[in-house]
Amino acid sequence: MKLLEESIDIISNDGRILAFAVYDPDAYASIKPSLIYQKEIKIAGEFTNPYTMERSLNLISSGAINLDILLNKRWILIILSQH
């Protein structure tokens, strides 16, 4: 939840946050609603199918998906901070 909370503070104006994770059903995030309004932040959630991971990794390792197009330095920092 810390990453979601911190993303509100560091995101630029008119930024977008995608909550793409499996969270504990009892977990809560503490955010400042005024920042959502002031920065015009969009927050969205996305469901993921847990049975597609192996297929996705196979597509990446085979070269069928070019990660250079999909990832940039900002995304890599977000992904690394989750580990």
Side-chain angles (χ1 to χ4, degrees), residues 20-44:
F20 185 76
V22 179
Y23 296 106
D24 180 330
D26 296 322
Y28 285 88
S30 178
I31 60 172
K32 298 175 186 173
S34 63
L35 290 178
I36 297 170
Y37 167 75
Q38 292 169 351
K39 292 183 169 186
E40 297 181 339
I41 298 170
K42 284 83 175 164
I43 302 173

Side-chain angles (χ1 to χ4, degrees), residues 4-71:
L4 180 61
E5 293 168 354
E6 290 176 353
S7 65
I8 299 289
D9 292 327
I10 64 172
I11 197 165
S12 62
N13 290 350
D14 199 32
R16 289 162 180 77
I17 297 171
L18 176 60
F20 185 76
V22 179
Y23 296 106
D24 180 330
D26 296 322
Y28 285 88
S30 178
I31 60 172
K32 298 175 186 173
S34 63
L35 290 178
I36 297 170
Y37 167 75
Q38 292 169 351
K39 292 183 169 186
E40 297 181 339
I41 298 170
K42 284 83 175 164
I43 302 173
E46 187 68 38
F47 176 78
T48 180
N49 184 335
Y51 303 109
T52 59
M53 180 64 76
E54 183 177 354
R55 194 171 104 200
S56 300
L57 293 174
N58 289 337
L59 287 169
I60 292 168
S61 65
S62 72
I65 296 177
N66 182 355
L67 290 183
D68 293 332
I69 295 171
L70 298 176
L71 297 177

